[in-house]
Amino acid sequence: MHSPQSEQIAAQQRRIAELTQERNDLSHQLGDCYEELSLIYTLSGGMKLTRAPQQFFDLTAEQTLEVMQVETVGIHFWHERVHPTTNFQYGKPLFNEDELDRLHSGMREQLGLRRETIHLNEIVADRHFAWSAQRAERLLAVPLERGDELFGVIWVANKRPVPAPPTGTRFTSIDAKLLNGVAVEVGIHAENYTLFDDAKSLMMGLLHSLTAAVDAKDAYTCGHSERVALLSRELAKQADFSTAYQERVYMAGLLHDVGKIGVPDMVIRKPGKLTDEEFGEIKKHPEIGARILADVRQVADLIDGVRHHHERFDGRGYPWKLAGEAIPLMGRIICLADCFDAMTSNRTYRNGMPPAKALAEIERCKGSQFDPALADAFLDIGEARIEELLKDHRDGVPGAAFLNVRPNSEAA
């Protein structure tokens, strides 16, 4: 017989064992929760609208491979609107392209029917995916959704056996929960990026329509705004400004002459050189443009480029007669692009200069009309690159902006 004391000791030992197991289980649960929260936090932090989808998918796959300890992560989209390339396979490439197409077709069919996780620890036993057993032993796949729309799938295959994860090489409900969390983040990013891209496309379409309306005021302005935008962006790139700033400069270049909407057509369309009075009307267009854009919050940072693209580095420009670095950077950039296009464009009263001669004028006028550092950067772009950049925008175009070229290459 066991004594009451020995039974009490045994009961205490059982209780200690139970508490130890509970502690270990809780520790594993906390570890799983930490991994999940850490992964979601990392993905959320990488979810920037300025980050291309490919960069976000690369980050997602890299983190999922590490946290879930799997051999392969796959992402597949059924709509090119999300991403033009539909098949992504990270880690160990288990499937070739034909096999990926077959795998994703099967996943699309099954997820479309059930909208549930595909959780296969014995893939060879599943009639839909048994064919892939020669490539993968275990498979876990969850749908990518946007509202009620199923637009893709993210999947993982095979836990990495060395070192073995704490749960072994089988996929658990914790793995499924973690992958579902990843899928939510991918879905949110895809939705946000699509909406952002739609808004950006709409805005750019409106900007192009607006600049086309300006260019349409005179046959010789055809294509000028687009060429100035392209040259301005190329100069910003050559000067090593950020990609984001290059795109803002491009937009400012498109809008730089928007104020000409407010200049009388008889002045804009005059076939010969302008009188001083008419030139005074033309000189109003930078301020008119700035006023037109003043209430559009999304382009507030472009207004300085529009207002000051006719300032001169020596202070003899307009409308504010600013000099040197007091002229906003965007204005100094657009000034160079604007003048180059003016010098190389045809007018009814003169032919445009050859590009080489226009570049020589920029060399001659740096420090007086142009910011010398930016002028050097423009010259470094080179005639060949400029010709390549503008070829499609000059073919069949009789001329560019109505920019009355004055002595020392000053463009109105």
Side-chain angles (χ1 to χ4, degrees):
M1 290 183 63
H2 296 289
S3 67
Q5 185 177 8
S6 63
E7 290 178 356
Q8 185 177 12
I9 292 172
Q12 288 175 343
Q13 290 174 337
R14 288 194 299 272
R15 180 56 180 160
I16 290 172
E18 290 172 358
L19 290 174
T20 300
Q21 184 60 46
E22 288 179 10
R23 183 197 65 191
N24 291 338
D25 290 343
L26 180 59
S27 177
H28 281 132
Q29 290 175 19
L30 288 174
D32 292 335
C33 288
Y34 173 79
E35 293 286 7
E36 180 179 5
L37 290 173
S38 178
L39 177 56
I40 299 305
Y41 177 80
T42 300
L43 297 183
S44 298
M47 199 182 298
K48 300 175 182 177
L49 289 178
T50 53
R51 174 170 283 170
Q54 182 66 65
Q55 293 177 307
F56 180 73
F57 301 150
D58 291 346
L59 171 67
T60 299
E62 176 187 336
Q63 294 295 317
T64 304
L65 284 167
E66 180 180 346
V67 172
M68 295 191 68
Q69 291 290 294
V70 292
E71 287 187 344
T72 309
V73 173
I75 303 176
H76 172 66
F77 302 105
W78 298 316
H79 299 297
E80 286 192 356
R81 194 159 176 259
V82 178
H83 198 282
T85 303
T86 59
N87 291 335
F88 298 98
Q89 191 174 197
Y90 300 87
K92 183 178 179 180
L94 295 176
F95 302 96
N96 62 37
E97 282 299 316
D98 289 340
E99 291 167 340
L100 278 176
D101 288 340
R102 183 179 178 184
L103 180 71
H104 293 149
S105 178
M107 288 178 176
R108 182 173 187 175
E109 180 181 351
Q110 291 304 304
L111 291 173
L113 290 172
R114 298 181 298 171
R115 292 293 179 95
E116 296 175 356
T117 301
I118 298 172
H119 192 155
L120 304 175
N121 276 316
E122 302 294 339
I123 198 170
V124 70
D126 185 271
R127 64 187 180 89
H128 301 290
F129 299 99
W131 65 268
S132 64
Q134 57 184 325
R135 303 292 189 193
E137 182 182 3
R138 311 188 199 289
L139 185 70
L140 186 65
V142 299
L144 298 174
E145 298 177 285
R146 232 172 8 199
D148 294 330
E149 179 188 14
L150 183 69
F151 71 91
V153 62
I154 182 169
W155 55 270
V156 294
N158 299 346
K159 287 285 189 75
R160 291 203 296 268
V162 180
T167 55
T169 58
R170 297 177 66 83
F171 288 123
T172 67
S173 60
I174 296 297
D175 293 314
K177 182 181 177 183
L178 184 57
L179 193 60
N180 269 290
V182 174
V184 169
E185 296 297 310
V186 173
I188 291 172
H189 183 271
E191 173 71 8
N192 288 347
Y193 192 85
T194 301
L195 293 173
F196 175 76
D197 193 53
D198 286 346
K200 183 179 178 181
S201 297
L202 175 61
M203 183 173 70
M204 292 305 297
L206 291 173
L207 290 185
H208 281 284
S209 296
L210 184 59
T211 56
V214 174
D215 287 354
K217 286 175 72 75
D218 178 52
Y220 281 85
T221 66
C222 183
H224 167 69
S225 297
E226 175 70 16
R227 291 194 297 273
V228 170
L230 288 169
L231 288 168
S232 297
R233 179 169 61 188
E234 190 70 15
L235 175 54
K237 180 180 179 181
Q238 184 68 35
D240 204 27
F241 292 113
S242 70
T243 301
Y245 187 74
Q246 293 169 31
E247 293 307 311
R248 300 307 287 176
V249 166
Y250 174 83
M251 292 176 65
L254 285 177
L255 291 168
H256 80 285
D257 269 348
V258 69
K260 288 188 176 179
I261 288 176
V263 177
D265 285 358
M266 61 179 293
V267 176
I268 292 291
R269 293 176 177 170
K270 184 175 178 179
K273 289 189 176 183
L274 304 178
T275 65
D276 288 342
E277 183 179 354
E278 291 165 340
F279 187 53
E281 289 295 316
I282 282 286
K283 288 169 70 174
K284 294 177 182 178
H285 80 272
E287 286 287 12
I288 295 172
R291 289 199 298 272
I292 288 172
L293 301 176
D295 294 328
V296 185
R297 176 176 55 83
Q298 291 83 354
V299 298
D301 61 318
L302 311 183
I303 292 177
D304 277 346
V306 173
R307 176 180 280 130
H308 297 294
H309 69 278
H310 282 301
E311 304 286 0
R312 289 173 52 111
F313 204 71
D314 59 11
R316 294 170 53 210
Y318 63 88
W320 289 7
K321 296 189 179 299
L322 300 179
E325 294 188 1
I327 305 169
L329 174 63
M330 202 171 281
R332 284 178 273 150
I333 290 174
I334 296 174
C335 174
L336 271 156
D338 194 24
C339 288
F340 179 87
D341 194 66
M343 288 187 285
T344 55
S345 297
N346 294 326
R347 298 290 181 270
T348 54
Y349 54 88
R350 65 152 175 85
N351 291 325
M353 295 180 185
K357 187 175 180 180
L359 291 173
E361 275 294 292
I362 289 176
E363 173 70 41
R364 185 176 71 83
C365 298
K366 69 180 185 182
S368 57
Q369 185 168 353
F370 307 121
D371 179 320
L374 289 174
D376 284 338
F378 194 92
L379 294 169
D380 286 342
I381 295 172
E383 182 179 349
R385 172 58 182 158
I386 291 173
E387 285 292 321
E388 177 190 358
L389 196 68
L390 299 183
K391 180 181 183 298
D392 293 339
H393 295 272
R394 288 203 186 278
D395 288 350
V397 176
F402 190 92
L403 294 171
N404 189 28
V405 177
R406 298 271 167 149
N408 203 24
S409 306
E410 180 179 350

